[in-house]
């Protein structure tokens, strides 16, 4: 389940009217602070690592980022942490049993003996995400701010796509691009057909995974709509290569949540997953 451990202050005198959202992965970090009264973003920053970190060095980098912006000295009414990795699995809610978390992951994910497993429920969908969070990062954040919420990147991504998009009459493939990871979601009439995440090193890796997904679903690259978003634009070599094979390829511009003031200076560069936690 999503760890709903927010400290709910009821006395307005104790309110700070600030919300902190953090995304952590072994390939990078990002965060933003929102003013919950004006709905403006106050601070936002991101770091992309030149090479993949391990969980301990990831925590050290997060400490550096927090110190850079004096976040350790701030107080927040709500803190949300999003864990981005490929250590997850999807389970239909009707088949889910909380006592079997390891069983859902052990065949397609490397789970270590000391790993702590968690799960999220995708809102308004018959779907559970089982995953491995970075518990050392969670412990650090808890020590700083107390109770907070954490969840997996795929939970936020799927909730945002499945609950807010128009009902396309044909299957659509959405690809969220971030550092060396690509999240592929195929939807039809808001129904989830496929979701998976891949790590890639080259543009050839990228198009291979896209074409493989389409092939497995018997979708024609010449007729299927493929919409990419995240750290990619039309001048990107990845986009150019994909366009060679996929006729209906476009840049997807996600809708910013209505709770965020569109005049916020950071909204145009904010990560889709992070901004959808606000």
């Amino acid at each position: 389940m999503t760890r709903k451990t927010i400290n709910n202050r009821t006395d307005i005198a104790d309110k700070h009217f600030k919300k902190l959202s953090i995304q952590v992965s072994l390939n990078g970090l990002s965060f933003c602070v929102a003013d919950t009264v004006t709905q403006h973003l106050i601070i936002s920053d991101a770091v992309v690592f030149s090479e993949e970190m391990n969980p301990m060095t990831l925590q050290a980098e997060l400490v550096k980022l927090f110190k850079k912006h004096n976040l350790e000295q701030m107080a927040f009414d709500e803190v949300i942490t999003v864990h981005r990795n490929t250590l997850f699995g999807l389970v239909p809610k009707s088949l889910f049993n909380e006592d079997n978390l390891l069983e859902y992951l052990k065949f397609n994910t490397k789970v270590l003996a000391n790993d702590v497993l968690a799960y999220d429920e995708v809102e308004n969908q018959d779907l559970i995400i089982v995953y491995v969070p970075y518990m050392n990062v969670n412990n650090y954040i808890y020590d700083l701010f107390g109770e907070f919420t954490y969840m997996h990147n795929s939970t936020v991504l799927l909730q945002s796509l499945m609950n807010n998009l128009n009902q396309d009459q044909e299957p659509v493939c959405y690809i969220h691009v971030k550092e060396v990871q690509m999240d592929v979601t195929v939807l039809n009439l808001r129904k989830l057909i496929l979701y998976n995440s891949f790590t890639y090193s080259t543009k050839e890796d990228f198009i291979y995974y896209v074409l493989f997904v389409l092939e497995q679903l018997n979708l024609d690259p010449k007729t299927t709509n493929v919409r990419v978003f995240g750290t990619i634009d039309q001048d990107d070599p990845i986009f150019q290569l994909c366009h060679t094979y996929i006729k209906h390829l476009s840049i997807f511009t996600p809708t910013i949540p209505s709770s965020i003031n569109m005049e916020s200076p950071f909204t145009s560069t904010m990560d889709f997953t992070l901004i959808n936690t606000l």
Side-chain angles (χ1 to χ4, degrees):
M1 63 181 170
T2 304
R3 300 299 173 175
K4 301 289 187 182
T5 55
I6 299 172
N7 189 1
N8 294 313
R9 298 179 176 88
T10 57
D11 187 344
I12 195 170
D14 294 331
K15 289 285 188 179
H16 303 285
F17 304 105
K18 290 184 180 66
K19 180 176 180 179
L20 170 64
S21 292
I22 311 156
Q23 182 168 248
V24 296
S25 82
L26 300 184
N27 297 299
L29 297 165
S30 58
F31 82 91
C32 62
V33 176
D35 184 311
T36 58
V37 176
T38 66
Q39 302 301 336
H40 275 86
L41 298 185
I42 304 171
I43 313 170
S44 177
D45 199 1
V47 177
V48 177
F49 305 140
S50 58
E51 59 183 22
E52 185 173 279
M53 300 288 180
N54 61 55
M56 297 310 298
T57 53
L58 170 65
Q59 179 183 337
E61 290 296 324
L62 184 61
V63 171
K64 287 168 55 177
L65 186 62
F66 278 11
K67 288 183 180 297
K68 174 183 175 182
H69 295 278
N70 296 317
L71 294 186
E72 295 175 328
Q73 309 304 317
M74 297 184 184
F76 303 96
D77 297 318
E78 187 175 354
V79 177
I80 296 178
T81 301
V82 178
H83 295 265
R84 180 178 176 84
N85 57 36
T86 57
L87 306 175
F88 70 90
L90 278 63
V91 184
K93 186 177 179 180
S94 56
L95 302 177
F96 178 72
N97 186 326
E98 186 177 355
D99 297 327
N100 295 331
L101 298 186
L102 180 60
E103 300 299 316
Y104 301 128
L105 293 184
K106 69 180 184 181
F107 294 110
N108 59 1
T109 300
K110 185 178 180 181
V111 180
L112 303 178
N114 60 343
D115 280 338
V116 175
L117 305 184
Y119 67 92
D120 300 338
E121 181 177 346
V122 181
E123 294 178 359
N124 303 318
Q125 305 295 332
D126 180 31
L127 190 61
I128 302 291
I129 310 291
V130 182
Y131 62 101
V132 181
Y134 302 116
M135 288 307 297
N136 61 312
V137 171
N138 278 358
N139 292 337
Y140 166 67
I141 294 172
Y142 180 83
D143 289 342
L144 282 180
F145 306 116
E147 297 175 338
F148 71 103
T149 297
Y150 69 90
M151 62 186 72
H152 194 263
N153 165 79
S154 57
T155 305
V156 185
L157 182 63
L158 288 175
Q159 284 180 175
S160 302
L161 288 177
M162 297 173 73
N163 294 338
N164 299 314
L165 291 178
N166 294 326
Q167 296 190 13
D168 294 285
Q169 298 302 309
E170 299 294 335
V172 178
C173 178
Y174 295 91
I175 305 174
H176 183 220
V177 185
K178 181 74 172 176
E179 284 105 40
V180 298
Q181 185 175 332
M182 54 189 290
D183 301 309
V184 182
T185 308
V186 180
L187 299 176
N188 188 13
L189 298 175
R190 292 187 183 175
K191 180 181 179 181
L192 180 65
I193 307 301
L194 177 143
Y195 176 79
N196 209 343
S197 187
F198 307 95
T199 56
Y200 67 94
S201 300
T202 67
K203 60 182 185 294
E204 289 77 17
D205 293 339
F206 191 99
I207 187 60
Y208 169 81
Y209 288 126
V210 176
L211 294 177
F212 178 75
V213 165
L214 297 179
E215 179 185 31
Q216 295 302 303
L217 298 177
N218 294 317
L219 297 176
D220 188 347
K222 295 181 180 179
T223 59
T224 303
N225 284 305
V226 177
R227 301 170 184 172
V228 296
F229 61 109
T231 55
I232 189 170
D233 56 37
Q234 292 185 350
D235 295 327
D236 194 301
I238 291 177
F239 186 92
Q240 297 298 323
L241 178 61
C242 289
H243 205 274
T244 304
Y245 297 91
I246 301 169
K247 182 177 181 181
H248 298 287
L249 178 70
S250 61
I251 298 293
F252 172 57
T253 305
T255 302
I256 293 177
S258 57
S259 60
I260 301 301
N261 192 313
M262 292 295 290
E263 296 179 356
S264 297
F266 305 106
T267 52
S268 61
T269 58
M270 282 285 297
D271 176 77
F272 172 80
T273 306
L274 191 62
I275 202 168
N276 274 279
T277 63
L278 297 175

